[in-house]
Every structure is written in structure tokens, then in C-alpha cells.
Amino acid sequence: MGWRGKIHEIIYEADTPLGKGFDIMLFVLIIISVILVMLESVGHIDKRFHDQLLIMEWIITIFFSVEYIARIISIRKPLKYIFSFYGIIDFISTIPLYVSLFVTGTQVLLAVRVLRLLRVFRILKLVQFIGEASQLGRAIRASRAKIAVFIYFVLIMSVIMGSVMYMVEGADAGFTSIPRSVYWAIVTLTTVGYGDIAPQTPLGQLIATIIMIMGYGVIAVPTGIVTTELAKDKHGKADVHVNTQACHTCSAEGHRDDAIHCYNCGSNL
Amino acid sequence: MGWRGKIHEIIYEADTPLGKGFDIMLFVLIIISVILVMLESVGHIDKRFHDQLLIMEWIITIFFSVEYIARIISIRKPLKYIFSFYGIIDFISTIPLYVSLFVTGTQVLLAVRVLRLLRVFRILKLVQFIGEASQLGRAIRASRAKIAVFIYFVLIMSVIMGSVMYMVEGADAGFTSIPRSVYWAIVTLTTVGYGDIAPQTPLGQLIATIIMIMGYGVIAVPTGIVTTELAKDKHGKADVHVNTQACHTCSAEGHRDDAIHCYNCGSNL
Amino acid sequence: MGWRGKIHEIIYEADTPLGKGFDIMLFVLIIISVILVMLESVGHIDKRFHDQLLIMEWIITIFFSVEYIARIISIRKPLKYIFSFYGIIDFISTIPLYVSLFVTGTQVLLAVRVLRLLRVFRILKLVQFIGEASQLGRAIRASRAKIAVFIYFVLIMSVIMGSVMYMVEGADAGFTSIPRSVYWAIVTLTTVGYGDIAPQTPLGQLIATIIMIMGYGVIAVPTGIVTTELAKDKHGKADVHVNTQACHTCSAEGHRDDAIHCYNCGSNL
Amino acid sequence: MGWRGKIHEIIYEADTPLGKGFDIMLFVLIIISVILVMLESVGHIDKRFHDQLLIMEWIITIFFSVEYIARIISIRKPLKYIFSFYGIIDFISTIPLYVSLFVTGTQVLLAVRVLRLLRVFRILKLVQFIGEASQLGRAIRASRAKIAVFIYFVLIMSVIMGSVMYMVEGADAGFTSIPRSVYWAIVTLTTVGYGDIAPQTPLGQLIATIIMIMGYGVIAVPTGIVTTELAKDKHGKADVHVNTQACHTCSAEGHRDDAIHCYNCGSNL
């Protein structure tokens, strides 16, 4: 194993103490760098500590740049990494500070660096911290199709309801265009309710009321879906009626708790 | 099969490649036409691209008109189609552009055309895309009665709570009439909370607080209903693994679907 | 059965056609009267149709007055009815119009008449329309203790969080007193979020953020409670493992599906 | 048992009538004192009843001071109490009034006294009132890891979404800094939706819409988690009807609690 292999082990794996240490350091640096980006965006803090923040940002950016290059060098198929999801995230969250050197007026684009935060998921994946998350993820993935149908339905209802409100309320109440009215419909259906646009006419308020009560039922659906999937998961795990005993003759599993004979070969259990 | 039959096959069915292709084209045209309607409603876009939008709208409207006539011609009982739900939707979402030729000031009514979006459900039905949706639909239909009782209860509580707030807060805080106060009560109970009307007096705020905490329990009910129905459904499916077959020897029931021998006496099933 | 008995049968029962008809008429009159009260509260409608509304109101009020007296006369223990929940509702929802004759400035109190709406529950009870509601009611009643603990917890957290925000934000952001801040905390925790009071300082916004994320978990609790109770209900009904067979010897019911002998007397099933 | 033991019994225990009475008195005094603190913070009430409120506050504070000292004296390890959670709460909720004697301008800090409310949990614990709460607590504790993963995910999404909105909307719409935009993202994702900050540009509204629909799925997760845990709990209880006893003759298990004979072989249990 050459020096490339060693770097690979440290950067990409989390089995060795060095690899683990590297991941923890990365995690801490990401959090610090995101806090820096956030503080920088606050006017009066940036005014007072501009230089200190910039220096710390540069230190972290140079570290991430080095890490990015090390990742490319130490892997066998660099292109695959570069164009992978995390490769792209790594690139676009490192580059803004360099760009800001040559191009002015890109101050706002520096916020792109918070995308670094997504890398945290990769680190956690390596450290295998998220056993619990996978159960949640599985439940959500299992109900993917149902959720898609649901969102599809919500969008269609929002477009129709938004258009109706556009006709009923008109520009005076803030329903200046259909897209804006659709935005309002989603704000209402999801029970967010900013209140920046709100119906003024009695008829508009009546329709809004109907949308809200529909929203009740609507919010119940994803909850029902996720709960059912999670419960299924749990149920599968805790199913007492089917025990873990294996048939001595045919090795069939999943017998009823009160089974006397194997359901597969009929021999005594 | 004459030409009518052929048209019928293309328009109404989705088994042949032509029929499928027609449905996909229809789907795409509907989405495009809805986007056109939405863009048209945005003042500055309409100002700049008015002519282009209008031309595209006319092309699509003529296509839908032809399709509408073809549907009437190719079906055996045209009246049944014309007065069916989708027949009416087809008509009222096609007609506005023609009306706008003769009557001025109907600009706003053009939004009616977004009802076209409802047709998407028919297309999906044909393509049998919504197997998952039917399960959701079944769950909601099964709890119809419970949901009706629930909405009924919510409405009564809203009317009473709204009237109380009308008396307590009065016109100064925006509670200018009972219907408006009822509107506020529903906005609060559904946790939408626009804030366009909000209690100002301590007593009003206390009552609002009670409504909100009630809203907690209230929002739990439809969720509970839908979840339970969905879970039942799921349960029903899981029970498929245990069939209703009885053992010929010992009449034991509840065998696994893949059981070859009775779990109780071991005889062949 | 004298005339009192006959009146009693019509008013209090719903078994005879007359009794049923009376209930339906009552139902319709209550709905009409509530709509009248609501319309009256709308300034410009009242201005235009004041006399018509008043006449209709008087007709309905006189009918309800007669009904109230008939209820007292026809029942054996009038005092028990008068001081019962529905007796009091009947009285205070009938009296306001009479009071408004003698006392001026009680216009607003006329809204009390919407309490009539509560009577609808009594009618539905008689007609036994709400079989479904009872299941919902049972689920809610069964989780009464848990919901009480939950509301208690929510209130304590709101008072503490409100006081903290009162100290952090102060009067400038609208947190002028602790009760008002507690009101804000409940508005936030229940995800209603009017926005009439909203934190302005970074620290206040941070604390508000914590309250909102807490609100997530908090809203999950009543939902979980109600869902579990409803599911239990359903489960009990659909429990396949226990069949409906009765023992021929001892008539015990609720045997396991795979029971060979009665669990009670041991005789063969 | 000396006088210290007697005081200990009264203050720390709830088995004797005196101990129970003391707890009830404490409960009442805490509620009164919290109401006093709340009333004091309301400007016009404080102006009118300042002296009366102050006198009552002093009476209660002196009582709590005596109780605090009694707690320290009567316990064997005073330091352990002083630095325990409730010891600290007792101290910092008693001290503000004394501090306000010597230091001016601490009026606002008097709100710290509402922390007294937390003591109510201790009292309830002693009286063993919260059997139900423990079930809720267990459900929440059991899903701790899942909830942590969930909150973690919500926070990361909020930071990223907030930064995106900061870039898209900018200071004009109120997105003046990333922390403020993150605050907005959480307000939206939790469906609170104050409306103090709301997107103005079409692109910003589109992104907001995506966040809201995500919020749908997101709100479903904690509900699903808690419901599943509660259901598991319930299930465990319902299974009590089937006990763990095994038949002495045939070893069949899963008998009903009230079973006298084995359901499988009919022998006595």
C-alpha cells in the first residue's frame, strides 16, 4: 500500500483510528465553516469582524481544497468521484471564495458554501451512526408511490383552487396572478398561512374555508402513510405469532407459535 | 370497425399504441395549456408575449375543440358523454376562449380553462397508473362517515366559537360580523393562522388559546381515522399469508399460504 | 295517554312518524335561525333587509318559546329539564330577542342565539344518526387522562416559554406582558402562527425556533393517542384470532380460531 | 425520629395526611404565585394594584424561602439537594424578589419566578398522579434516537433552504441574513408561518412552495414515530388477555387469561 493507499484509507474509510479522527475533524470543520458563513451574512457582525472571519474562511477553504485534491489523487477512478453527487457538492462549496477574488459582486453567492452541510450525511454514513435513520428512510421509500400520488393530487387541487380564487378575489386582495394564487393555495392547504395574501371578500373567505377543511384531510394522508409503514416495520419485527424456529427436517422458517408440525414437510417440530 | 370505431379506440382506450400515444399527447397538451393560462395571468409576461401566448392558446383550443367533437361523434350515446362529469369539464374548459371573442371583459374567466387539469385524472385512470391511489381512495372512502361527523362537529364549533369572539372582540379587532368571525375560527382551528384577523383583548386571546388547544385534538382526529383505515388495509394484505383453507383431517385453520402440511396434525393440505 | 303524553312523545321521542317529523322540522328551523343571526351581523345586509330579518327572527323565536314551554309542561320533572344542559341552552338561546325589546344596546348579545346550534346534537342523538361519532367519542374518552396530562404539559411549557420570551424580547416586539407572551407561545406551539406578535431579536428568534421544533413533537402526541385508540377499537372488532363461535355446553364465546376445546368448560367445540 | 425527621416527612413525602396536605398547599401557592407574576407584568394592572400584588408576592416569597431552608436543614445531604435540578429551580425562583431590593432595573428578571411552575412536576411525581404520563414518556423515550435523526435532518434542510432563500430573495423581502432566513425556513417547515418574513419574488415563492410540501412529509414523521411507539405499548397491554401460561399436558401456549381449560387438549390449566 503506497502513500495513495494510505491517503485513501484516511479520507474514504472510517475503520482505522486515523480515518475516524479525520472524519471527526471534517465534521467539526464543516460545522465551523457553516457558522462562519452564517455570521458573515449578518451585516453588523461582518462589519466588525470582517477580517477575522475572512482569514478563518480562507484557512478552512484551503483545507477543503487540499482535501478535494487528495480525494481525486488517492482514488482509482477520479472522474467517477468528480461527477458523483458528493464530488459536485465538494466542488461547488469550495470554489465560491476563489471566485470572489476575481469577480466582484458575488458576495451573495458565498452562501453556496453552506451546501458543505450535505457532506455531513456522507460522514455519518461512514461512521454508521444512522441505523435508526435507515428505518425511517425505508418507511419513506416504501410509501414513495403513495406520496407521489398524494403530492400530485395536492398540486392539481392547488392550481384549480388558486385559479378559482384568482377569479373570485382578483388583484385587490393580492391575488394578482394565477401563479401567485396557486402559491397562496399551497400556503393555505399546508396550514402554513403567512397572511401576506388573504381573501377579503365573503365568497373568497368561504372558498378559503373549504380549502382549509380539505387541508385537514390532506395533512392526514402523509401522516397515515408514514405511520402505517413504520408500524408495519415494527409489526414485522415483533410478530409473536410467527416464531424464529427452523424445521429440523426441511429448515423452513416462520412457523406459527402453536404449530406442532412443519407447514412445509409435516415432520414434528 | 368503421372510422368511428377507430376514433373511439384512439380517444377512449389506451390498449393500442395509438391510443396510448394519444393519451400521452393529451397529457402534454393539457400541462402546456395550463402553463399558458398561468403565464397569461402574470401582468408583465402577458404584456411582453401577449401575441405569442394567444396564438399558442388558439392552437391548443382548436385541438381540444376537434377532440371534443370527435368524442361526441365516435361514441354511441353522445348525450351520456356530454352530460357526464368529464364531458362538462371538457366543454367549460374549451369554451372560454371562444366566448372572449364576442364578449369583452371576460379576461378573468379565462382562468376557467385550468379545469382542464381535472382531465388528467381520466387519462391516468385509463393508463392504470394509479393503483396506489385507489388504496388511498379506499381508505378515505371507508372513513367517509367518520370524516363527515368530524367536519360537522368542526363547523358547529367554529360557528359557536366565532359568535363568541364576535361578541368579545367586536369590530375593532376585525371581527366585524359573525360570518367573518366564523372564518377566523376556522383559520385558527385548522392552524392556518393568517393573522389578518387576530384577537386584541386579553379575554379574546384567552378564548383563542382555548380554540387552538382544541385544534390540537381536532387535527388528530382525521389523521387517526385515515391512519387506522390505511393500517387495516395493510393488515388485510398481511393476512393474505394466512389463508382461509381448513385442514381436511383436523379442520385446523389459519394455514400459511405456502403451507403444504397442516401445522396441527401434519396431514397433507 | 293524555295530551301531555302525546306532546311528550312528539317532542322528546323520535320513534313515531310525528316525533321524527318534529325533529326534522326543528333541525331545519335551527339551521335557518342560525343563518339569520349570521346575516343580521353583517352590516350592509342588516341595513337592507333589517325588517324582513327581524320578522323571520320573531316567528322562529316564538316557535322556540312555545316549544320550550311545551317541553316544561309535558315532562314529569320540569325542574330537572330546566336545569339540565340542554334546558339551559334552550333558555339562553331563546331569551335574547325578548331582552332586546326592553334593553337597548344589547344588539351584540343577540349572537348568543347561535348556541341553538348545540341543540342539533340532541336531535342527532335521538335520531341515532351518530353511530360513527360514538366510536370517535369513545376513542377520545378512552384517552382522556393522557390528553389531560398532555394539555397540562403544553400549558406549563407555554407559561415558561412565554415568560422567557417576555424577558428576551420585551415590549418593542409586542411581548408587552407575560399573559400576552404566553398567548404568543401557544400560537406558536400549536403552529397557528398569526404573526401579530413575532420575535425581532436573533436570540428571540432562536428560542422561537426551539419552540417550533418542540411543537413538532408536541403535535405528534394527541395524534398518536387518538390513532392508537381508534386502532385498538378497530382491532377489537376485526380480531380474526378470536372467532364468534359459542360453546354448545357452556355458551362461552370468544374462542381462538384454532381452539379444539372450550376454554371455559373443556368440552369439544 | 427528631423534629428534622418530621419536617422531612412533611416536605419530602406524601404518604402521611400532613405530607399530602403540604403538597396540596404548595401546589396552590405555586399557581397563585405564578398568576401574581403574570398580573404584575400587565402594565395597567400593576399600576392599579401594585402595592397589593407586592405584599402578596412577599408573603409567598417568604414562605418559599422558609420552605427552601427547611428542605436544606431536614435532609441528610444538603449539598446534593442544593445542586439537584429542583434545588436550583427552588433557588433561582425564590431569589429575584430579594435581588430587586438591592438592585434596580431588574423588574424584568422577576419573570424568572415562573420557573416555580416546574416544581409542580415534582409534586405530581410524589402524589403519583401521572401514571398516564409515564406511558407517553416511555413512547417518546423509546423513539429518542429516531427523533434526534429527524431533528438533525430538519435543521440541515432549514440551513440549506434558508441560505438558498437568502440568495434568491435578499434583504428587500426581509431575508437580511442567513440566520434570519434559516429562522424563516423553520417557521415555514413547521407550518407555523408568521408572515413577518415572506417571499416576494416568483422564484422565492416557488422554493417556499417546495419547502411547504416537504413540510407535509416532515410533519408526518414524528407523528408516525410516536404513534407507532404508543401502539406497540398498547399492543403489549392487549396481549395481556392472552397469558404466557403453558398447558401442563400439551404445552400449548397463548391461553386467554380467563381460560380454565387448554384450548388444544382440553385438560385443566
Side-chain angles (χ1 to χ4, degrees), chain C residues 152 178 188 216 254 256 260 263, chain D residues 41 120 194 218 254 256 260 263:
Chain C
Y152 185 81
I178 296 184
T188 300
Y216 252 143
R256 282 177 57 135
I260 300 168
Y263 67 85
Chain D
S41 76
V120 166
Y194 287 131
V218 161
R256 284 176 57 131
I260 300 168
Y263 67 86

Side-chain angles (χ1 to χ4, degrees), chain A residues 152 178 188 216 254 260-261 263, chain B residues 41 120 194 218 256 260 263:
Chain A
Y152 185 80
I178 296 184
T188 300
Y216 253 142
I260 300 167
H261 293 277
Y263 66 85
Chain B
S41 77
V120 166
Y194 287 131
V218 162
R256 284 176 57 133
I260 301 168
Y263 68 85

Side-chain angles (χ1 to χ4, degrees), chain A:
Chain A
M1 194 165 72
W3 59 273
R4 283 194 186 181
K6 263 187 191 155
I7 291 173
H8 185 275
E9 204 178 78
I10 293 168
I11 295 181
Y12 284 96
E13 281 160 51
D15 302 335
T16 58
L18 253 166
K20 218 164 209 165
F22 181 79
D23 279 340
I24 291 165
M25 192 187 64
L26 216 58
F27 184 84
V28 171
L29 276 178
I30 289 169
I31 300 299
I32 290 174
S33 100
V34 168
I35 291 170
L36 285 178
V37 172
M38 291 175 84
L39 290 178
E40 235 174 276
S41 77
V42 182
H44 64 99
I45 293 178
D46 186 48
K47 207 168 276 171
R48 237 177 110 184
F49 302 104
H50 185 75
D51 293 347
Q52 292 92 321
L53 287 169
L54 199 68
I55 289 165
M56 287 175 76
E57 256 304 330
W58 269 111
I59 292 169
I60 287 176
T61 299
I62 286 166
F63 173 85
F64 282 137
S65 309
V66 171
E67 187 226 346
Y68 182 65
I69 292 163
R71 273 185 192 273
I72 292 175
I73 290 172
S74 70
I75 207 167
R76 247 177 237 167
K77 297 182 179 172
L79 284 176
K80 208 180 159 190
Y81 161 70
I82 290 169
F83 294 106
S84 71
F85 175 71
Y86 284 119
I88 292 166
I89 294 293
D90 285 355
F91 184 76
I92 62 175
S93 65
T94 310
I95 210 74
L97 203 58
Y98 294 108
V99 171
S100 72
L101 278 183
F102 306 107
V103 194
T104 51
T106 55
Q107 206 59 32
V108 157
L109 287 176
L110 291 175
V112 165
R113 289 171 296 170
V114 299
L115 286 179
R116 250 167 226 166
L117 218 47
L118 286 174
R119 299 184 62 192
V120 166
F121 287 116
R122 178 170 53 184
I123 295 172
L124 293 179
K125 211 173 179 179
L126 284 173
V127 190
Q128 274 169 335
F129 179 68
I130 43 171
E132 289 291 339
S134 76
Q135 201 184 339
L136 281 179
R138 211 169 338 120
I140 289 167
R141 233 167 307 121
S143 40
R144 213 171 23 194
K146 261 197 224 71
I147 287 173
V149 167
F150 165 74
I151 288 176
Y152 185 80
F153 178 80
V154 165
L155 287 180
I156 287 190
M157 289 320 295
S158 299
V159 171
I160 290 174
M161 285 312 207
S163 303
V164 169
M165 288 302 276
Y166 169 70
M167 289 189 279
V168 168
E169 286 281 334
D172 292 341
F175 296 81
T176 49
S177 69
I178 296 184
R180 206 170 146 80
S181 303
V182 172
Y183 160 73
W184 170 85
I186 293 177
V187 167
T188 300
L189 206 61
T190 53
T191 77
V192 170
Y194 287 131
D196 52 345
I197 315 169
Q200 301 298 333
T201 65
L203 183 58
Q205 293 180 342
L206 183 67
I207 296 170
T209 292
I210 294 167
I211 297 177
M212 283 169 217
I213 289 178
M214 266 177 53
Y216 253 142
V218 162
I219 216 163
V221 173
T223 309
I225 293 169
V226 172
T227 305
T228 311
E229 282 306 326
L230 277 175
K232 211 174 110 189
D233 229 57
K234 273 272 152 50
H235 201 73
K237 258 188 184 168
D239 201 357
V240 193
H241 300 299
V242 174
N243 60 25
T244 57
Q245 200 185 357
C247 174
H248 302 296
T249 312
C250 71
S251 297
E253 284 184 354
H255 300 289
R256 284 176 58 134
D257 259 0
D258 54 354
I260 300 167
H261 293 277
C262 173
Y263 66 85
N264 192 39
C265 68
S267 61
N268 288 311
L269 288 174

Side-chain angles (χ1 to χ4, degrees), chain B residues 220-237:
Chain B
V221 172
T223 308
I225 293 169
V226 172
T227 305
T228 312
E229 282 306 326
L230 276 176
K232 213 174 109 188
D233 229 58
K234 272 272 151 50
H235 202 73
K237 257 188 183 168

Side-chain angles (χ1 to χ4, degrees), chain C residues 30 33 60-61 64 93-94 113-120:
Chain C
I30 288 169
S33 100
I60 288 176
T61 300
F64 283 136
S93 64
T94 310
R113 289 170 296 170
V114 299
L115 286 179
R116 249 167 226 164
L117 219 46
L118 286 174
R119 299 184 61 192
V120 166

